[in-house]
Amino acid sequence: MSIIQLHSIPQTKQTTSSPPLHNQTMAPSILIAGATGNTGRNVVKTLSQLLATTDTLPHHRILALTRSPQSAIAQQLAQLPGVEVLEQNWVELTPSWLQEHGVDRAFLASHNQPHQFAEESSFHVAALRAGVRYVVRISTTAANVRPDCDAHYARAHWAIEDLLRAPEFHGLQWTSLQPNIFAGLWLASAAEFIQQARRNGKQGTLRLMASETAPVGIVDPEEVGALAAHLLVQADPAVHNRARYVVNGPADVSGREIVRMVGERIGAPVERVCYEDLSGLEAYLEREFMGAPQSSRNVIGSVKHALRTAWEGKCAASTTSREVLEIAAPTRTPVQTLDDLLRE
């Protein structure tokens, strides 16, 4: 876990009625923080297509930020029309940097570590001071975005949205997307089970984070990115200002249905299933975070509680916001995601 970085904010006086002017020597830009991430990469791709085929923002360019500019994904993005890839950690952005690069709109998918609130709120303060007009941010499962959620990062998302609703942030327009559980994560163990059974003809135990019967509208992160891109190119984002949109996939899937999908692909009934299994998540948290200096096992381990609302049936596809269906409705089904995982 990285050390929290403190950001200094210039003390020049600003007014919300007359925001500072952007750098007039360059075209205005749309900033994509975390451009090589699971949602950010398709924000960049979709934005490049939309800016080339629509006339709503004819002079805007795309600034794709990454800490790994030499990665294969970053190199692919750099070849897209209107895209400039920059090596830059978004947590270090300042108002002066945003102004110097002519940032007019921005996308942000923050991390979910314990210092999330400090770093993401610093980003939004910097955007406000710099006169950025519109930010689209990625939140988390809507049923968890509340002040009493046991999962620490969900409380942080609630706090960020509450901060942005404050009168002091009137000068910054924003939309918060609340995507359901990402499909690849939900189905990863099923894909691994199928691949192992195909290799050696033997079954282990199929361990699923899903409950047996609760319907969950898992969503493809690339489709969340496409939705964010469509919002960012709106000629007037005011209609989406201060909106929180729930984003699910087009179809629900339960643990029992995942078992059926697995059985169809191995050509035999699944012999042993463990539902609501958190062993993989626990191993990941232990490996990635528990040994870090000043880490709190209690706080980091609270991530496990985020799945409770899914098990309680509160994350069904029917909760998708109407605006999402009108702007860029997700279409990828659980079956398509599982088959894609098997091809990787």
Side-chain angles (χ1 to χ4, degrees), residues 193 196-197 200 202-207 270-273:
F193 181 93
Q196 177 179 327
N200 57 29
K202 298 180 181 180
Q203 293 189 27
T205 299
L206 174 56
R207 300 184 179 278
V270 177
E271 298 169 359
R272 295 179 297 279
V273 183

Side-chain angles (χ1 to χ4, degrees), residues 166-245:
E168 291 83 354
F169 277 85
H170 179 75
L172 177 64
Q173 297 185 87
W174 58 274
T175 302
S176 191
L177 302 182
Q178 299 177 330
N180 208 332
I181 298 162
F182 286 160
L185 173 66
W186 205 237
L187 298 175
S189 62
E192 292 171 2
F193 181 93
I194 294 168
Q195 290 165 340
Q196 177 179 327
R198 287 175 174 176
R199 281 194 302 268
N200 57 29
K202 298 180 181 180
Q203 293 189 27
T205 299
L206 174 56
R207 300 184 179 278
L208 300 175
M209 287 190 288
S211 73
E212 182 175 4
T213 59
V216 182
I218 57 177
V219 65
D220 188 324
E222 290 199 351
E223 296 197 305
V224 179
L227 171 63
H230 279 83
L231 287 166
L232 287 166
V233 298
Q234 297 288 310
D236 182 5
V239 67
H240 304 293
N241 185 28
R242 301 192 168 205
R244 295 177 296 170
Y245 293 148

Side-chain angles (χ1 to χ4, degrees), residues 39-97:
T39 55
R41 67 186 70 174
N42 206 40
V43 178
V44 177
K45 293 176 182 177
T46 306
L47 263 180
S48 178
Q49 296 169 354
L50 291 174
L51 291 179
T53 57
T54 64
D55 58 2
T56 54
L57 299 175
H59 305 298
H60 282 62
R61 59 202 177 98
I62 302 168
L63 295 183
L65 304 191
T66 179
R67 289 177 295 175
S68 306
Q70 303 306 318
S71 68
I73 295 174
Q75 293 297 304
Q76 292 170 7
L77 297 179
Q79 301 303 312
L80 297 175
V83 175
E84 179 182 355
V85 173
L86 298 179
E87 183 175 6
Q88 175 67 50
N89 190 340
W90 66 265
V91 304
E92 303 294 347
L93 296 180
T94 62
S96 60
W97 191 99

Side-chain angles (χ1 to χ4, degrees), residues 26 49 95 98 110 118 131 139 144 156 162 178 184 194 228 243 251 311 324 334 338:
M26 63 176 66
Q49 296 169 354
L98 295 169
S110 181
S139 181
N144 290 334
D162 213 43
Q178 299 177 330
I194 294 168
W311 298 339
V324 171
L338 180 58

Side-chain angles (χ1 to χ4, degrees), residues 234-314:
Q234 297 288 310
D236 182 5
V239 67
H240 304 293
N241 185 28
R242 301 192 168 205
R244 295 177 296 170
Y245 293 148
V246 179
V247 191
N248 302 298
D252 289 320
V253 67
S254 66
R256 186 181 298 166
E257 290 166 337
I258 296 173
V259 172
R260 175 184 55 78
M261 291 160 55
V262 170
E264 291 174 349
R265 282 154 183 78
I266 64 173
V270 177
E271 298 169 359
R272 295 179 297 279
V273 183
C274 182
Y275 296 106
E276 300 183 15
D277 181 84
L278 299 178
S279 57
L281 177 60
E282 290 170 342
Y284 169 78
L285 294 175
E286 185 72 32
R287 181 176 67 253
E288 296 295 325
F289 302 114
M290 293 305 190
Q294 300 179 344
S295 63
S296 165
R297 300 184 71 88
N298 181 47
V299 173
I300 294 172
S302 72
V303 171
K304 296 179 293 185
H305 299 298
L307 297 176
R308 189 180 305 153
T309 50
W311 298 339
E312 293 171 346
K314 297 178 180 178

